[in-house]
Amino acid sequence: LMYSLFTNVLFCFRILHLALTVALQYWLMRDLEKMAGAARIALIYMGSGMVGNLASAIFVPYRAEVGPAGAHFGLLACCMVEVIHQWHMLKYPEMAILKLVGITAVFFLAGLFLSCIDTAEAL
């Protein structure tokens, strides 16, 4: 089912999930889209979302999952690469990279320990 790799990135499970997704995308994608362009960010978003859904299907089989968590991690990784690339131009690059690593760790731990993240258990 090839279509399920990219359609899962486009769906959200609940209103709270949708609101958090939109807020995170606005926070992450606003500046990234200005720097890299809409086409590149769309490619990064969909590519990392598909790889994240594929990894999730491989490591946790027989469980319905939905949401763009893999795409969010891809955008966070893109932000980290941009900070490293612009290291000499930033006033406090250490704080920027620590903030991104901290946010990534919180999202990773939330996905690891909270079963309601990215699952459609009520379906």
Side-chain angles (χ1 to χ4, degrees):
L1 302 173
M2 213 49 190
Y3 67 90
S4 65
L5 285 178
F6 65 88
T7 55
N8 285 346
V9 176
L10 304 174
F11 295 126
C12 289
F13 182 56
R14 295 187 176 124
I15 297 294
L16 179 63
H17 187 230
L18 177 65
L20 290 173
T21 297
V22 169
L24 183 68
Q25 288 174 356
Y26 178 74
W27 178 68
L28 284 176
M29 293 174 79
R30 179 183 52 194
D31 296 330
L32 278 176
E33 193 171 352
K34 290 177 189 174
M35 289 188 289
R40 286 184 181 148
I41 293 302
L43 185 66
I44 290 168
Y45 185 82
M46 290 304 292
S48 58
M50 290 186 334
V51 169
N53 284 334
L54 183 62
S56 186
I58 290 170
F59 291 116
V60 188
Y62 308 113
R63 186 163 148 190
E65 299 198 11
V66 66
H72 292 160
F73 281 110
L75 290 175
L76 282 166
C78 187
C79 284
M80 288 181 205
V81 168
E82 282 296 321
V83 167
I84 292 168
H85 187 262
Q86 302 295 332
W87 193 271
H88 62 282
M89 298 173 101
L90 297 173
K91 189 173 183 179
Y92 300 110
E94 297 89 3
M95 290 303 296
I97 201 81
L98 277 175
K99 186 186 338 180
L100 289 171
V101 167
I103 291 168
T104 303
V106 167
F107 287 161
F108 180 76
L109 291 174
L112 192 63
F113 293 121
L114 299 176
S115 65
C116 62
I117 304 291
D118 265 354
T119 60
E121 293 174 356
L123 293 178

